[in-house]
């Protein structure tokens, strides 16, 4: 079955819409666009789909409401703007959703909700109950009380986290471009749309530009991070233009639009995806080719294959495992702190026992605490 046909089977769907789609450049809400979006989503709920909307716009709309030209520099003031904007944003959505006969429920999440396992479970239960009760969850990050350090930070990643949390079948990201291009379509006439991306390789990440290049090929960096989360969690992801009527329905009908990122077949179960994506990454471990091959066959990570350790971290931190070419191949909870790892990297297990005593764990990351990302 092709990927487009696979999307036809989706039942639980997360739709993410960004600030630029639902506001004008002067930051006022684009009511026409919001109305069409809501009509399409409620229409799909009526048809039997379980829909979740992840929406940005709180900060822009708050700035408009408070007549501010610039985002305040002080964090508490930015939070105040978000508090005002979120209320205005939700007021508009609630009216529109009710107008079309739906029931809106507001969910404001922070990274904490996906980082701590008990909160992860509570958020998951709450969202699933809403869907069972016929409520349309309208989700944003809780910008009024969070600060950057504890934020997910961008709603692309937030939407993928939500899709993982509720075991969604599909995540549809409405963007201001048609999908992922081979080059920036605004600058390069020969740029072509890539219809399907099977894997987020370093080349694909390079197309999306670095974290700083929000314009890149259309603010694609955070979307590639979202795709990694979605694909490894068993969620098909699509990027399509948000200002085209019926785009969500077209994706779910298997039409040939946008860029699709098919879910990996053996997707992570809830605990593992929490492990992979709910937690803050504290550092990197680089491994050699032999170690990479062993890990791909299901082995735990041992010290002998470690060539480098990046960052400073404590025991039980979540770290990324990179292969020799710098590509992330796994994530997991590490049994040693970075200082000790630097001492034992490259050494065989017998040497470690001599250095640290016979009780020292053999596995640097045990395979039960590890998620393969490649
Ligand atoms: N949560 C932010 C807002 O509502 C948006 C974050 C993003 O655009 O990714 O303004």
């Amino acid at each position: 079955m092709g990927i487009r046909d696979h999307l036809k089977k989706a039942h639980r769907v997360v739709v993410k819409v960004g600030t630029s789609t639902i506001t004008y450049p002067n930051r006022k809400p684009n009511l026409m666009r919001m109305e069409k979006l809501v009509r399409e989503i409620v229409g799909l709920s009526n048809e039997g789909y379980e829909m979740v909307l992840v929406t940005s716009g709180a900060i822009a709309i708050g700035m408009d409401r408070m007549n501010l030209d610039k985002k305040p520099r002080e964090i508490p003031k930015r939070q105040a703007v978000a508090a005002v904007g979120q209320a205005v944003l939700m007021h508009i959505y609630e009216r529109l959703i009710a107008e079309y006969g739906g029931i809106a429920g507001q969910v404001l999440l922070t990274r904490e909700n996906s980082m701590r396992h008990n909160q992860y479970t509570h958020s998951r239960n709450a969202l699933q109950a809403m869907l069972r009760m016929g409520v349309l969850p309208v989700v944003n990050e809780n910008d009024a009380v969070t600060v950057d350090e504890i934020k997910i930070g961008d709603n692309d990643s937030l939407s993928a986290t939500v899709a993982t949390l509720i075991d969604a079948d599909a995540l549809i990201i409405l963007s201001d471009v048609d999908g992922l291009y081979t080059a920036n379509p605004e600058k390069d006439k020969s740029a072509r749309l890539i219809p399907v991306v099977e894997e987020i390789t370093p080349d694909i990440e390079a197309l999306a530009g670095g974290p700083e290049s929000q314009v890149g090929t259309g603010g694609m960096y955070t979307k590639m991070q979202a795709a990694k989360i979605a694909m490894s969690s068993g969620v098909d992801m699509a990027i399509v233009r948000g200002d085209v009527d019926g785009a969500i329905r077209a994706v779910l009908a298997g039409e040939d639009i946008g860029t699709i990122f098919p879910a990996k077949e053996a997707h992570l179960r809830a605990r593992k995806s929490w492990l992979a994506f709910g937690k803050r990454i504290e550092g990197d471990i680089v491994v050699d080719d032999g170690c990479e091959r062993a890990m791909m066959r299901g082995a735990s990570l041992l010290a002998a294959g470690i060539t480098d350790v990046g960052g400073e971290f404590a025991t039980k931190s979540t770290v990324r495992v990179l292969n020799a070419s710098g590509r992330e191949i796994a994530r997991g909870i590490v049994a040693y702190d970075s200082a000790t790892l630097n001492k034992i990297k490259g050494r065989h297990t017998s040497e470690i026992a001599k250095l640290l005593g016979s009780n020292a764990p053999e596995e640097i990351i045990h395979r039960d605490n590890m998620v393969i990302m490649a």
Side-chain angles (χ1 to χ4, degrees), residues 145-164:
V145 296
T146 47
V147 291
D148 290 351
E149 291 72 44
I150 58 163
K151 266 190 176 188
I152 291 180
D154 72 273
N155 277 14
D156 292 319
S157 303
L158 174 68
S159 66
T161 306
V162 168
T164 302

Side-chain angles (χ1 to χ4, degrees), residues 16-20 55-61 71 82 85-86 89 139-143 151 153-158 214 222:
K16 184 258 163 176
V17 65
T19 305
S20 62
T55 181
S56 310
I59 296 190
I61 289 177
K71 227 187 251 184
Q86 180 62 33
L89 182 68
V139 185
N140 196 358
E141 182 138 33
N142 198 347
D143 298 315
K151 266 190 176 188
D154 72 273
N155 277 14
D156 292 319
S157 303
L158 174 68
Q214 263 310 305
T222 53

Side-chain angles (χ1 to χ4, degrees), residues 75-292:
I75 291 169
K77 287 191 178 166
R78 279 220 301 270
Q79 292 174 315
V81 171
V84 170
Q86 180 62 33
V88 177
L89 182 68
M90 198 58 206
H91 183 64
I92 301 170
Y93 276 121
E94 203 284 327
R95 285 186 63 171
L96 292 173
I97 291 169
E99 182 83 6
Y100 287 109
I103 311 168
Q106 175 178 250
V107 180
L108 299 177
L109 296 172
T110 68
R111 181 185 276 276
E112 287 271 291
N113 300 120
S114 64
M115 208 162 88
R116 293 183 196 279
H117 196 236
N118 63 345
Q119 289 197 22
Y120 179 97
T121 309
H122 293 321
S123 317
R124 176 184 169 90
N125 290 346
L127 281 161
Q128 287 186 332
M130 289 169 82
L131 292 175
R132 275 198 303 277
M133 293 166 85
V135 174
L136 167 55
V138 180
V139 185
N140 196 358
E141 182 138 33
N142 198 347
D143 298 315
V145 296
T146 47
V147 291
D148 290 351
E149 291 72 44
I150 58 163
K151 266 190 176 188
I152 291 180
D154 72 273
N155 277 14
D156 292 319
S157 303
L158 174 68
S159 66
T161 306
V162 168
T164 302
L165 207 61
I166 59 162
D167 296 324
D169 303 306
L171 165 62
I172 302 176
I173 295 191
L174 302 177
S175 166
D176 47 13
V177 287
D178 292 307
L180 182 67
Y181 279 86
T182 51
N184 187 339
E186 275 169 24
K187 293 189 185 146
D188 186 343
K189 285 267 169 299
S190 69
R192 280 177 304 104
L193 181 70
I194 306 174
V196 179
V197 174
E198 301 274 356
E199 197 156 349
I200 310 294
T201 59
D203 288 348
I204 293 287
E205 280 195 299
L207 282 180
E212 304 312 326
S213 97
Q214 263 310 305
V215 261
T217 40
M220 283 292 159
Y221 177 79
T222 53
K223 292 179 179 54
M224 292 310 105
Q225 303 312 307
K228 277 192 198 171
I229 300 175
M231 293 164 92
S232 330
S233 307
V235 181
D236 289 326
M237 187 179 114
I239 300 176
V240 286
R241 261 195 111 84
D243 58 3
V244 181
D245 292 347
I248 304 168
R249 190 175 285 283
V251 172
L252 296 173
E255 283 175 29
D256 196 12
I257 62 164
T259 303
I260 308 292
F261 301 79
K264 299 242 189 270
E265 264 173 37
H267 70 83
L268 307 170
R269 278 167 305 152
R271 193 191 105 79
K272 283 239 170 173
S273 57
W274 168 72
L275 178 66
F277 306 115
K279 306 187 75 185
R280 188 192 287 274
I281 304 292
E282 308 285 354
D284 294 332
I285 293 179
V286 185
V287 298
D288 62 23
D289 294 345
C291 181
E292 178 182 5

